[in-house]
Amino acid sequence: MSKTLVQSVEQFEELVKENDTFLFFKNSTTCPISHAAYEEFENFAADHNEIPLYYLHVQEARALSNHIADTYSIKHESPQALLFKDGKVVWNASHWKITYSSLQENVK
C-alpha cells in the first residue's frame, strides 16, 4: 500500500475513525537521522500493503504533530513511528530504532 501524506488535524482524526490499525510516521525534512528512518519507512511501505501507512513532515504540519503528542500522551520525537490500533498508540519508536526489521516485527 502506498503511504499518504497527512497535513491537518481534521485529516488525521478522519483516518483514526476510518482505520482500526495504521502506521503513522513523523518526519523531519532537515534531519539526517530522520532521512535515514524515512528511507526505512519507504522500504517497508513498498513491501507491505496489509496496513494503511500515513506520514507528516513536521515542518509543514507542526500543529498536527503537537496534536498527536498531546492527544495520545506520546512525547514528540522526530523521526517517530507510531502504530495505532483501535484509536490508541500500541507501539512507537524513534530515531535509529526505526528500521525495516523493527517495523516488520511490530506492525502485525
Side-chain angles (χ1 to χ4, degrees):
M1 175 174 278
S2 63
K3 56 197 184 322
T4 303
L5 178 65
V6 178
Q7 296 182 298
S8 72
V9 171
E10 294 77 20
Q11 282 178 296
F12 179 79
E13 290 301 323
E14 273 302 307
L15 69 91
V16 170
K17 288 179 191 172
E18 294 172 359
N19 297 284
D20 292 332
T21 302
F22 64 94
L23 180 65
F24 200 88
F25 185 83
K26 290 183 175 184
N27 181 52
S28 168
T29 56
T30 58
C31 170
I33 296 170
S34 194
H35 179 73
Y38 187 71
E39 284 183 352
E40 297 288 316
F41 174 68
E42 284 187 313
N43 291 335
F44 179 83
D47 293 343
H48 293 82
N49 61 4
E50 69 275 9
I51 183 169
L53 304 166
Y54 301 95
Y55 69 103
L56 64 76
H57 296 304
V58 174
Q59 290 86 342
E60 299 166 6
R62 175 59 74 178
L64 173 54
S65 181
N66 291 342
H67 171 77
I68 293 169
D70 293 344
T71 302
Y72 297 94
S73 300
I74 301 286
K75 177 186 170 198
H76 164 76
E77 297 191 76
S78 179
Q80 187 172 41
L82 303 137
L83 179 63
F84 288 82
K85 283 190 180 182
D86 300 320
K88 297 179 179 134
V89 176
V90 296
W91 174 79
N92 75 90
S94 66
H95 296 83
W96 295 114
K97 293 179 183 173
I98 301 170
T99 62
Y100 184 99
S101 62
S102 73
L103 293 170
Q104 187 168 335
E105 181 179 319
N106 290 284
V107 180
K108 298 177 182 175

